[in-house]
Short mmCIF file of all heavy atoms in Angstrom, two decimals:
data_model
loop_
_atom_site.label_atom_id
_atom_site.label_comp_id
_atom_site.label_asym_id
_atom_site.label_seq_id
_atom_site.Cartn_x
_atom_site.Cartn_y
_atom_site.Cartn_z
N ASN K 116 -166.24 83.56 1.84
CA ASN K 116 -165.05 82.70 1.72
C ASN K 116 -164.64 82.56 0.26
O ASN K 116 -163.46 82.37 -0.05
CB ASN K 116 -165.35 81.32 2.28
CG ASN K 116 -165.81 81.37 3.71
OD1 ASN K 116 -167.01 81.42 3.98
ND2 ASN K 116 -164.87 81.42 4.65
N ILE K 117 -165.64 82.61 -0.62
CA ILE K 117 -165.37 82.48 -2.06
C ILE K 117 -166.16 83.57 -2.79
O ILE K 117 -167.36 83.75 -2.53
CB ILE K 117 -165.83 81.09 -2.58
CG1 ILE K 117 -165.09 79.97 -1.83
CG2 ILE K 117 -165.60 80.97 -4.09
CD1 ILE K 117 -165.57 78.56 -2.16
N VAL K 118 -165.47 84.29 -3.66
CA VAL K 118 -166.14 85.34 -4.44
C VAL K 118 -166.01 84.98 -5.92
O VAL K 118 -164.89 84.82 -6.42
CB VAL K 118 -165.50 86.73 -4.17
CG1 VAL K 118 -166.08 87.78 -5.10
CG2 VAL K 118 -165.69 87.12 -2.71
N VAL K 119 -167.14 84.83 -6.59
CA VAL K 119 -167.13 84.50 -8.01
C VAL K 119 -167.43 85.77 -8.79
O VAL K 119 -168.53 86.35 -8.64
CB VAL K 119 -168.17 83.40 -8.35
CG1 VAL K 119 -168.08 83.03 -9.83
CG2 VAL K 119 -167.98 82.18 -7.47
N LEU K 120 -166.47 86.21 -9.59
CA LEU K 120 -166.66 87.43 -10.38
C LEU K 120 -167.33 87.04 -11.69
O LEU K 120 -166.72 86.38 -12.53
CB LEU K 120 -165.30 88.11 -10.63
CG LEU K 120 -164.51 88.46 -9.37
CD1 LEU K 120 -163.14 89.03 -9.73
CD2 LEU K 120 -165.28 89.43 -8.47
N ALA K 121 -168.61 87.44 -11.84
CA ALA K 121 -169.41 86.93 -12.96
C ALA K 121 -170.04 88.07 -13.76
O ALA K 121 -171.19 87.97 -14.19
CB ALA K 121 -170.49 85.98 -12.44
N VAL K 122 -169.26 89.16 -13.94
CA VAL K 122 -169.75 90.25 -14.79
C VAL K 122 -169.06 90.14 -16.15
O VAL K 122 -168.12 89.35 -16.32
CB VAL K 122 -169.48 91.64 -14.16
CG1 VAL K 122 -170.16 91.75 -12.80
CG2 VAL K 122 -167.99 91.92 -14.03
N LYS K 123 -169.51 90.94 -17.11
CA LYS K 123 -168.90 90.91 -18.44
C LYS K 123 -167.44 91.37 -18.36
O LYS K 123 -167.10 92.20 -17.51
CB LYS K 123 -169.67 91.85 -19.39
CG LYS K 123 -171.08 91.38 -19.68
CD LYS K 123 -171.07 90.28 -20.71
CE LYS K 123 -172.49 89.94 -21.17
NZ LYS K 123 -172.60 88.57 -21.68
N PRO K 124 -166.59 90.87 -19.24
CA PRO K 124 -165.15 91.18 -19.14
C PRO K 124 -164.86 92.68 -19.10
O PRO K 124 -163.99 93.13 -18.34
CB PRO K 124 -164.58 90.55 -20.42
CG PRO K 124 -165.53 89.46 -20.77
CD PRO K 124 -166.88 89.92 -20.33
N GLN K 125 -165.60 93.47 -19.87
CA GLN K 125 -165.30 94.91 -19.92
C GLN K 125 -165.66 95.64 -18.63
O GLN K 125 -165.26 96.77 -18.42
CB GLN K 125 -165.92 95.57 -21.16
CG GLN K 125 -167.38 95.40 -21.39
CD GLN K 125 -167.77 94.08 -22.06
OE1 GLN K 125 -167.04 93.09 -22.02
NE2 GLN K 125 -168.94 94.06 -22.67
N MET K 126 -166.44 94.98 -17.75
CA MET K 126 -166.82 95.59 -16.46
C MET K 126 -165.82 95.20 -15.36
O MET K 126 -165.90 95.70 -14.23
CB MET K 126 -168.20 95.07 -15.99
CG MET K 126 -169.29 95.10 -17.01
SD MET K 126 -169.75 96.80 -17.26
CE MET K 126 -171.08 96.62 -18.44
N MET K 127 -164.93 94.27 -15.67
CA MET K 127 -164.14 93.63 -14.63
C MET K 127 -163.15 94.58 -13.94
O MET K 127 -163.01 94.52 -12.71
CB MET K 127 -163.40 92.45 -15.27
CG MET K 127 -162.99 91.42 -14.33
SD MET K 127 -164.35 90.73 -13.43
CE MET K 127 -164.19 89.07 -13.87
N ALA K 128 -162.47 95.43 -14.70
CA ALA K 128 -161.46 96.31 -14.08
C ALA K 128 -162.11 97.20 -13.03
O ALA K 128 -161.63 97.30 -11.90
CB ALA K 128 -160.76 97.13 -15.16
#
Side-chain angles (χ1 to χ4, degrees):
N116 303 93
I117 301 174
V118 173
V119 182
L120 303 176
V122 301
K123 293 281 188 205
Q125 54 278 22
M126 311 288 182
M127 202 58 122

